[in-house]
């Protein structure tokens, strides 16, 4: 068992949220009970995750995508009212870390995704150094796509480059398709992220650098698990990861 303040201090110490210019508040977003024995981790603070955490008798929830974002409607109605009502009624703490959970060199989404794919990061790129790079044994787009399908359990969208052997891989989880040009400048032969927009197919064809979209949710399941494992080991909490399926 620990307490809410001690858990927040530890999470902030690991993830260093004050280093980042983010799209919403990082840290404790909804205050619940003082004592914390069980922590549920998940990608997004959806109603389905909150209900699953209530069923699991959680005292706190840790997510990558919290409730509050810059520019959103501030009224507590509809889906926001439903989510907040569940958390407050059941006195559950909600912790959310967005960019800090992407960037952490060991526990973050990108570090954990790379570890599961057998890649050792040797460089960073992009705004706030969110993108990772690694040198790998020469491989192919089909082979990397197969790795990602096996890991995530879903199909990927792959746009071929010029067919070169893939020796330099770059990746950034979630909706980082806008980092493709940065990955190209960093010397990548392939860039992996969660989503694809219209321009990326053209960039791949014109520059020869392959592009893979492996799912926003699918590529961001691993940071909260990494942090959760650290919380369990160092704070002795009962930690459970609950994956709410999302096709995005």
């Amino acid at each position: 068992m620990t307490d809410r303040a001690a858990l927040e201090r530890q999470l902030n110490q690991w993830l260093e949220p004050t280093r980042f210019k983010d799209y919403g508040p990082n840290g404790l977003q909804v205050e619940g009970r003082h004592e914390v024995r069980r922590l549920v981790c998940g990608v997004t603070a959806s109603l389905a995750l909150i209900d699953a955490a209530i069923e699991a008798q959680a005292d706190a929830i840790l997510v990558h995508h919290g409730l509050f974002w810059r520019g959103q409607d501030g009224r507590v109605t509809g889906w926001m009212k439903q989510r907040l009502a569940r958390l407050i009624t059941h006195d559950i703490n909600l912790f959310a870390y967005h960019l800090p959970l992407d960037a952490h060199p060991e526990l973050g989404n990108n570090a954990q995704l790379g570890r599961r794919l057998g890649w050792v990061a040797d460089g960073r790129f992009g705004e706030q150094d969110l993108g990772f790079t690694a040198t790998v044994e020469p491989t192919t787009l089909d082979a990397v796509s197969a790795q990602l399908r096996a890991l995530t359990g879903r199909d990927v969208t792959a746009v071929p480059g010029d067919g070169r052997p893939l020796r330099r891989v770059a990746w950034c989880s979630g909706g980082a398709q806008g980092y493709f040009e940065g990955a190209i400048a960093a010397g990548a032969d392939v860039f992996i992220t969660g989503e694809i927009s219209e321009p990326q197919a053209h960039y791949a064809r014109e520059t020869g650098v392959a592009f893979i979209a492996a799912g926003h949710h699918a590529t961001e399941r691993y940071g909260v698990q990494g942090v959760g494992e650290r919380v369990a080991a160092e704070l002795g909490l009962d930690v459970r990861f609950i994956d709410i399926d999302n096709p995005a």
Side-chain angles (χ1 to χ4, degrees):
M1 183 187 73
T2 188
D3 62 72
R4 178 183 62 248
L7 177 57
E8 184 177 23
R9 282 195 301 272
Q10 187 63 80
L11 291 172
N12 286 342
Q13 180 180 330
W14 290 334
L15 298 175
E16 301 180 286
T18 57
R19 290 180 48 226
F20 297 89
K21 183 179 179 181
D22 213 333
Y23 307 99
N26 290 300
L28 182 65
Q29 289 197 345
V30 179
E31 182 179 304
R33 61 181 63 98
H34 177 72
E35 294 182 348
V36 179
R37 293 180 173 84
R38 179 169 296 159
L39 174 69
V40 160
C41 300
V43 177
T44 298
S46 64
L47 187 62
L49 179 66
I50 293 168
D51 283 344
I54 293 167
E55 180 69 22
Q57 299 183 318
D59 303 299
I61 301 171
L62 171 66
V63 296
H64 180 48
H65 301 135
L67 291 180
F68 308 107
W69 300 97
R70 186 174 63 211
Q72 74 184 119
D73 188 333
R75 291 173 292 183
V76 181
T77 60
W79 63 267
M80 178 65 83
K81 187 258 185 182
Q82 292 181 59
R83 297 182 191 184
L84 283 172
R86 296 282 212 287
L87 291 167
I88 292 169
T89 298
H90 293 273
D91 208 17
I92 297 175
N93 298 282
L94 176 67
F95 295 92
Y97 293 88
H98 185 230
L99 297 185
L101 196 56
D102 288 318
H104 195 279
E106 180 185 354
L107 303 175
N109 285 318
N110 290 307
Q112 291 288 317
L113 178 63
R115 182 177 68 81
R116 285 166 169 78
L117 292 167
W119 301 338
V120 178
D122 57 16
R124 306 286 286 269
F125 71 96
E127 185 180 357
Q128 302 187 78
D129 283 339
L130 296 179
F132 284 48
T133 60
T135 301
V136 300
E137 290 295 319
T139 185
T140 66
L141 182 63
D142 286 346
V144 175
S145 297
Q147 274 187 282
L148 285 162
R149 282 194 295 269
L151 174 65
T152 64
R154 55 165 290 161
D155 204 0
V156 304
T157 298
V159 183
D162 56 14
R164 71 183 72 170
L166 307 183
R167 295 182 172 88
R168 290 287 293 165
V169 296
W171 69 99
C172 190
S173 65
Q177 59 267 46
Y179 278 40
F180 190 22
E181 290 176 272
I184 294 167
D189 298 310
V190 61
F191 177 58
I192 299 97
T193 187
E195 300 181 11
I196 184 169
S197 298
E198 195 272 346
Q200 284 76 53
H202 299 294
Y203 297 158
R205 293 165 183 159
E206 293 167 18
T207 66
V209 178
F211 182 97
I212 302 175
H216 191 135
H217 174 89
T219 57
E220 294 194 326
R221 289 185 293 201
Y222 307 109
V224 289
Q225 294 183 62
V227 174
E229 290 167 5
R230 179 69 64 83
V231 167
E234 298 199 9
L235 298 183
L237 297 187
D238 177 5
V239 178
R240 303 181 184 184
F241 173 68
I242 297 178
D243 190 29
I244 304 299
D245 183 60
N246 189 325

